[in-house]
């Protein structure tokens, strides 16, 4: 998928936004939806997506960027609090060549503990439902 490719309304995050696919939601407001990554690179790996149909950071309308980033920060604070994290890794990929695999804009937020590494992007297995549900509850309680 090239950076300037048209938005595909059948991408998995578009389906999640429309309620056609389930997700482990941790937060929602007027501009974003946040849910757990089911192939987490670390416990608590959370994705924040804008509600507008934007393929990547370059195609999000500029006036939507500020409100979206406010929501990303809000989710990051809750994730940090829920995991009492020593640090947070926040990242975002654009285009297949940039490492993006789902072509609806999203920021990754991963809580980090001192001395604990991350699994590689695209190399993590599916987390257990039990772990994900416990993490979801902890993050929801941290808002
Ligand atoms: P990226 O490679 O930056 O486009 O990231 C896409 C992310 O979406 C990856 O970290 C995947 O593990 C994650 N992912 C894919 N399908 C789902 C899904 N159904 N629910 C939650 N996360 C997903």
């Amino acid at each position: 998928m090239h950076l300037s490719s048209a938005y595909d309304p059948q991408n998995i995050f578009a389906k999640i936004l429309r309620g056609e696919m389930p997700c482990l939601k941790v937060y929602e407001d007027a501009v974003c939806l946040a849910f757990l990554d089911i192939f987490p690179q670390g416990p608590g790996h959370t994705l924040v997506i804008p509600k507008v149909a934007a393929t990547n950071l370059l195609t999000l309308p500029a006036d939507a960027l500020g409100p979206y980033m406010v929501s990303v920060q809000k989710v990051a604070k809750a994730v940090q609090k829920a995991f009492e994290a020593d640090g947070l890794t926040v990242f975002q990929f654009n285009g297949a060549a940039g490492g993006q695999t789902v072509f609806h804009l999203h920021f990754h937020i991963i809580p980090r503990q001192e001395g604990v590494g991350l699994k590689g992007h695209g190399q993590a297995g599916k987390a257990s439902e039990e772990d994900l549900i416990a993490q979801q509850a902890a993050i929801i309680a941290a808002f």
Side-chain angles (χ1 to χ4, degrees), residues 7 11-19 21-23 25-37 46-55 60 64 67-69 71-72 75 91-92 100 102-109:
Y7 182 82
N11 78 75
I12 191 147
F13 293 172
K15 290 181 179 174
I16 287 173
L17 270 176
R18 292 194 297 266
M21 289 278 296
C23 75
K25 179 165 91 173
V26 296
Y27 177 74
E28 182 173 13
D29 62 22
V31 297
C32 87
L33 176 68
F35 51 90
L36 291 180
D37 194 310
T46 300
L47 303 171
V48 188
I49 71 174
K51 288 189 169 174
V52 295
T55 306
L60 184 72
Y68 173 51
M69 290 310 299
S71 296
V72 169
V75 176
F91 57 88
Q92 188 275 319
Q100 188 176 9
V102 177
F103 298 96
H104 181 110
L105 173 61
H106 51 282
F107 272 76
H108 298 254
I109 298 171

Side-chain angles (χ1 to χ4, degrees), residues 75-90:
V75 176
K77 287 180 178 178
V79 168
Q80 187 281 328
K81 187 175 164 195
F83 286 80
E84 298 180 343
D86 297 324
L88 283 177
T89 297
V90 178

